[in-house]
Amino acid sequence: MSSTRRIDGVAPTRRALVLVAFSLFATRYLCTAFVQIDPLVYDEQLLWVGGGAGQVNTYRIPLLTFTPRGSLLAFAEARKYSDRDIGAKFIAMRRSTDRGATWSPSSFIVDDGSLADGLNLGSVVVDEQQGSLILVYSVCFHRYHCSPSSTMMVLSQDDGLTWSPPRNLSTQLGVKSFAPGPGYGIQKRYPPNVGRLVVCGHGTLDGNGIFCVLSDDHGLTWRYGGMLKSIPYNQPKQAQDFDPDECQPVEMEDGSIVVNARNQNSYHCRCRMVVRSTDGGESLPVENLIFDTTLVDPAVAAGALQKEGVMYFTNPANTHSRVNLTLRWSLTNGSSWEKEAVQLWAGPSCYSSMTSLVGEAIEDRKYIYVIYEKGHKSCIETVSFAKIHLYGGR
């Protein structure tokens, strides 16, 4: 008879091996839950360079999204003749199927021809329930030698490889000038209104404010939801008037929607406005509005992302100038921000957007991705893509 003691039915040597094996398994799949957030720029590359080469003068307004099949898609306004907001444009797109290591050549998925007041990006929405992608943008937003304004949509059902002809949503939404984003829209994952598509944007400088459009049938029909209008509304503005502008909605794990917005006229502070909706985007109550003085801002479109209980934010962190593109993070749903921050670029930098891949793979838990406007003399010289390791490369 063996004299080896057995504990819980397992011999000591075998039990040790079981514990080691379990430890290795747990470490592989759970390590990110216990490692301190310590973002590291793991890789960076330029996706678009302006300067008038080919058919494009300037690339601006970058968007970035994941796809249900695990790809990354990057979009930008390809401004044909100048760097101005008005004028004719393409929507340019590049696609990566290897977590941003390599990218497809640029393709132009929308061409507005030679319009005097062409298209403006825009928000991209991932419908995970349908496996589709929706890109919402505006045409004739500024009403410069054109009228009326239109809100447009294109759809991809094959991971961004092909896109539908543009569909005009103005028959449903009306002809108010509405500029989505720029950034991404959301599909609600948590109650209330699971599955709802929410795209938020802004109006013209006179009729400005945050406006959200909603779809409960996967983009077939749209209607207006929550609004936070400027004061005075539909009237010319003065310095320090209340003027919410470009914005990024983020769904929190409690089902609320936090909208992080550009403070166009520096009302109250040179910092970000943040408003919360608790009814699926139906309303944006002014009593749910705060001014986040930690997020200093020169009035610009910024990136925001919630991933596994951590909120991330990117912008040119400067009160007056579009320089110092910075990544911040919050462990308290944005009610406070960690003192540490990561500078992605010290020089001229403007608009930014973020995404992360949604999947069970450990690699997808380790990274977020940032796309932003970057330059040496001007922030609109290039569009750059940065892959950020959240745990210092560990």
Side-chain angles (χ1 to χ4, degrees), residues 6-28:
R6 300 177 69 88
I7 302 175
D8 298 330
V10 181
T13 302
R14 185 181 173 193
R15 183 170 183 266
L17 292 173
V18 170
L19 289 174
V20 168
F22 177 79
S23 176
L24 291 173
F25 178 87
T27 299
R28 179 182 176 188

Side-chain angles (χ1 to χ4, degrees), residues 200-249:
C200 299
H202 69 101
T204 60
L205 290 180
D206 286 350
N208 211 356
I210 300 171
F211 304 89
C212 297
V213 296
L214 316 175
S215 176
D216 290 308
D217 55 11
H218 306 287
L220 182 63
T221 60
W222 295 84
R223 61 182 175 85
Y224 274 101
M227 303 181 184
L228 183 67
K229 293 183 177 180
S230 60
I231 303 173
Y233 182 64
N234 262 345
Q235 299 178 46
K237 300 296 186 293
Q238 298 179 10
Q240 298 183 325
D241 278 348
F242 181 71
D243 201 11
D245 199 76
E246 295 165 322
C247 58
Q248 176 60 68

Side-chain angles (χ1 to χ4, degrees), residues 315-373:
N315 80 327
N318 188 285
T319 55
H320 291 81
S321 300
R322 293 181 173 184
V323 296
N324 188 34
L325 203 288
T326 299
L327 170 68
R328 297 183 183 274
W329 59 98
S330 169
L331 307 180
T332 59
N333 293 326
S335 62
S336 64
W337 298 87
E338 296 299 288
K339 293 181 180 179
E340 299 86 358
V342 173
Q343 184 185 74
L344 301 186
W345 181 245
S349 41
C350 292
Y351 287 25
S352 60
S353 182
M354 281 189 285
T355 196
S356 67
L357 291 171
V358 178
E360 297 300 323
I362 190 65
E363 291 298 301
D364 294 339
R365 301 183 65 187
K366 288 182 178 180
Y367 297 98
I368 60 173
Y369 306 93
V370 180
I371 193 169
Y372 69 101
E373 297 173 335

Side-chain angles (χ1 to χ4, degrees), residues 113-164:
S114 56
L115 295 180
D117 189 1
L119 65 87
N120 291 104
L121 281 178
S123 285
V124 58
V125 192
V126 180
D127 188 333
E128 295 183 80
Q129 294 181 357
Q130 297 290 300
S132 59
L133 300 156
I134 294 172
L135 186 63
V136 185
Y137 61 97
S138 63
V139 173
C140 190
F141 171 78
H142 309 89
R143 300 184 189 246
Y144 178 77
H145 298 313
C146 63
S147 188
S149 180
S150 295
T151 303
M152 309 293 291
M153 167 188 147
V154 290
L155 171 72
S156 175
Q157 296 178 310
D158 58 4
D159 209 49
L161 292 173
T162 62
W163 294 82
S164 69

